[in-house]
């Protein structure tokens, strides 16, 4: 090889070896406001990302739906115009129906169930599905707690008490069908419009976990809380698969490890803060009650009417049975 060619090859190889991947500031959309479980996940991610990349990469959280409704952020991430989003899983289900298995009523009955399912093979499979169906990869899981029912009109302890209330739900078929099984037709509404909907009394109530109700100041427009346990809210941190694939293998690994740290931060936040936050809601004037008979009527109606309608979309009855087996419950 001529000297010039040798030098050119050497220079080219040196460039390949020496050029560091560009530093990046990831834009992270967050559906909820400061003080929420979603923010705890986001902060856990930012901290771990900066530490693991020795300060090379950073991430900025855009709280309170500033970058659009939760469902819109999935579309944005899919086409690569948004890097990341933290949003409730029920707002991913329309794009990747198999994740609906985590939204089926009365499947996940504790934080421990949620951790086992999301961090095991089922969580890994759902992550693969969201990449394929929606162009987004789940890198962390927020555990937000049970979606309790709030309303501005009256204490609700039974299915009969629910009648006549106008309840907002996300645009999610499983949740719509669940309320229908309880005898009312709920109003689907984007998360970003929900506070205004409650304030202007377009709707009387909604459901979300304590930590979300507190962070979003729903106590200003809602009075009564019913401790429903029909959905344990899981709220993933997703990254655009396009953005992820543009990263070096080393940076991809950093993102995944920062995601693990964020998941841990979210579980710690819920364990340490949920009881305290429930008391804040009481101090703010909310009245909290339990559904009568250990929620038996709600459970019976929802599981009988809703589960079979969604076997196909979640990947078959076997999928639900695999989930139930993983958390030590009997198959259907
Ligand atoms: C919803 O109700 O749409 C979501 O649960 C809101 C959230 O992300 O907290």
């Amino acid at each position: 090889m001529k000297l010039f060619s040798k030098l050119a090859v050497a220079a080219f190889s040196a460039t390949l070896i020496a050029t560091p991947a560009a530093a990046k500031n990831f834009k992270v959309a967050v559906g909820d406001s400061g003080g929420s479980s979603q923010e705890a996940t986001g902060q856990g991610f930012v901290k771990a990302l900066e530490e693991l990349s020795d300060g090379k990469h950073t991430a900025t959280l855009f709280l309170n739906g500033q970058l659009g409704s939760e469902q819109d952020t999935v579309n944005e991430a899919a086409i690569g115009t948004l890097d990341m989003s933290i949003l409730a899983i029920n707002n991913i289900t329309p794009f990747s129906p198999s994740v609906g298995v985590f939204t089926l009523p009365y499947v996940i009955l504790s934080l421990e169930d949620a951790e086992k399912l999301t961090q095991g093979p089922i969580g890994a499979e759902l992550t693969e599905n969201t990449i394929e169906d929606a162009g987004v990869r789940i890198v962390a899981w927020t555990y937000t707690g049970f979606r309790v029912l709030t309303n501005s009109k009256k204490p609700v302890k039974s299915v009969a008490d629910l009648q006549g209330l106008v309840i907002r739900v996300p645009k999610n078929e499983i949740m719509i069908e669940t309320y229908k099984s309880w005898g009312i037709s709920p109003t689907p509404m984007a998360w970003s419009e929900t506070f205004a909907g409650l304030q202007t009394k377009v709707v009387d109530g909604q459901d979300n976990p304590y930590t979300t109700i507190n962070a979003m100041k729903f106590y200003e427009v809602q009075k009564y809380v019913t401790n429903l346990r029909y959905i344990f809210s899981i709220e993933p941190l997703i990254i655009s698969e396009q953005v992820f694939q543009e990263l070096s293998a080393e940076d991809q690994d950093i993102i995944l490890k920062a995601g693990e740290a964020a998941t841990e931060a979210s579980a710690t936040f819920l364990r340490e803060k949920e009881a305290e936050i429930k008391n804040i809601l009481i101090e703010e004037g909310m009245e909290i009650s339990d559904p009568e008979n250990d929620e038996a009527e709600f459970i019976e109606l929802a599981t009988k009417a809703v589960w079979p309608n969604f076997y196909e979309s979640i990947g078959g009855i076997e999928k639900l049975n695999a989930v139930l087996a993983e958390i030590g419950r009997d198959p259907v």
Side-chain angles (χ1 to χ4, degrees):
M1 198 186 283
K2 287 191 177 140
L3 180 61
F4 175 75
S5 310
K6 277 188 187 161
L7 286 175
V9 169
F12 180 65
S13 312
T15 313
L16 276 186
I17 294 161
T19 306
K24 198 163 160 63
N25 179 14
F26 293 92
K27 249 181 159 179
V28 187
V30 183
D32 295 346
S33 47
S36 61
S37 298
Q38 291 186 359
E39 190 199 34
T41 302
Q43 284 177 343
F45 181 79
V46 171
K47 183 166 177 282
L49 176 69
E50 289 180 4
E51 277 169 17
L52 291 164
S53 68
D54 289 328
K56 183 175 102 176
H57 298 307
T58 53
T60 305
L61 306 180
F62 293 85
L63 297 169
N64 215 9
Q66 282 173 70
L67 299 187
S69 79
E70 292 196 353
Q71 290 193 357
D72 287 346
T73 65
V74 180
N75 286 324
E76 294 287 332
I79 56 171
T81 50
L82 172 69
D83 300 321
M84 298 187 184
S85 176
I86 306 177
L87 73 169
I89 201 155
N90 47 266
N91 289 328
I92 303 180
T93 316
F95 307 96
S96 189
S98 65
V99 301
V101 74
F102 286 170
T103 309
L104 280 184
Y106 302 105
V107 166
I108 298 178
L109 300 180
S110 65
L111 169 58
E112 291 68 30
D113 284 354
E115 288 179 300
K116 206 169 203 182
L117 288 169
T118 52
Q119 294 175 32
I122 289 170
E125 187 186 324
L126 294 182
T127 300
E128 287 304 316
N129 293 352
T130 62
I131 295 170
E132 195 159 309
D133 301 337
V136 297
R137 172 185 294 260
I138 296 171
V139 296
W141 305 90
T142 309
Y143 307 114
T144 314
F146 288 107
R147 295 182 71 106
V148 299
L149 174 70
T150 68
N151 85 90
S152 57
K153 289 203 160 150
K154 58 179 180 179
V156 172
K157 294 187 179 171
S158 64
V159 171
D161 293 337
L162 194 59
Q163 307 312 304
L165 291 177
V166 182
I167 302 295
R168 173 270 169 181
V169 285
K171 295 174 185 172
N172 176 292
E173 287 304 322
I174 296 176
M175 297 167 84
I176 293 169
E177 289 302 316
T178 302
Y179 277 93
K180 284 189 177 162
S181 80
W182 295 332
I184 64 168
S185 189
T187 304
M189 186 183 278
W191 178 233
S192 47
E193 291 160 20
T194 302
F195 187 92
L198 295 166
Q199 191 172 39
T200 55
K201 301 200 185 306
V202 171
V203 287
D204 301 318
Q206 63 85 48
D207 65 62
N208 259 294
Y210 290 138
T211 59
T212 310
I213 294 166
N214 179 52
M216 302 301 289
K217 297 191 172 20
F218 278 8
Y219 47 73
E220 291 178 358
V221 289
Q222 297 280 271
K223 170 88 180 157
Y224 302 100
V225 179
T226 309
N227 280 329
L228 287 188
R229 301 166 76 82
Y230 85 113
I231 291 175
F232 184 98
S233 191
I234 293 178
E235 314 195 348
L237 164 59
I238 56 171
I239 182 169
S240 160
E241 184 61 8
Q242 196 173 311
V243 170
F244 187 77
Q245 289 306 335
E246 282 163 9
L247 300 172
S248 66
E250 190 191 337
D251 284 344
Q252 289 180 346
D253 195 47
I254 286 173
I255 295 286
L256 297 178
K257 289 208 167 80
E260 284 168 20
T263 300
E264 227 177 284
S266 145
T268 303
F269 177 82
L270 191 66
R271 288 197 166 95
E272 289 179 355
K273 296 279 177 208
E274 195 179 34
E276 190 183 310
I277 285 172
K278 182 178 175 187
N279 284 331
I280 294 175
L281 298 183
I282 295 169
E283 280 162 23
E284 292 291 346
M286 296 193 96
E287 284 180 20
I288 303 183
S289 52
D290 290 325
E292 62 187 27
N293 301 326
D294 288 334
E295 215 167 325
E297 198 187 0
F298 287 97
I299 297 172
E300 169 86 3
L301 290 168
T303 51
K304 281 228 170 94
V306 180
W307 285 11
N309 286 347
F310 292 92
Y311 291 155
E312 202 183 321
S313 66
I314 62 165
I317 192 169
E318 328 69 77
K319 197 59 65 187
L320 175 58
N321 282 333
V323 165
L324 294 172
E326 182 89 18
I327 51 178
R329 290 177 57 194
D330 293 337
V332 285

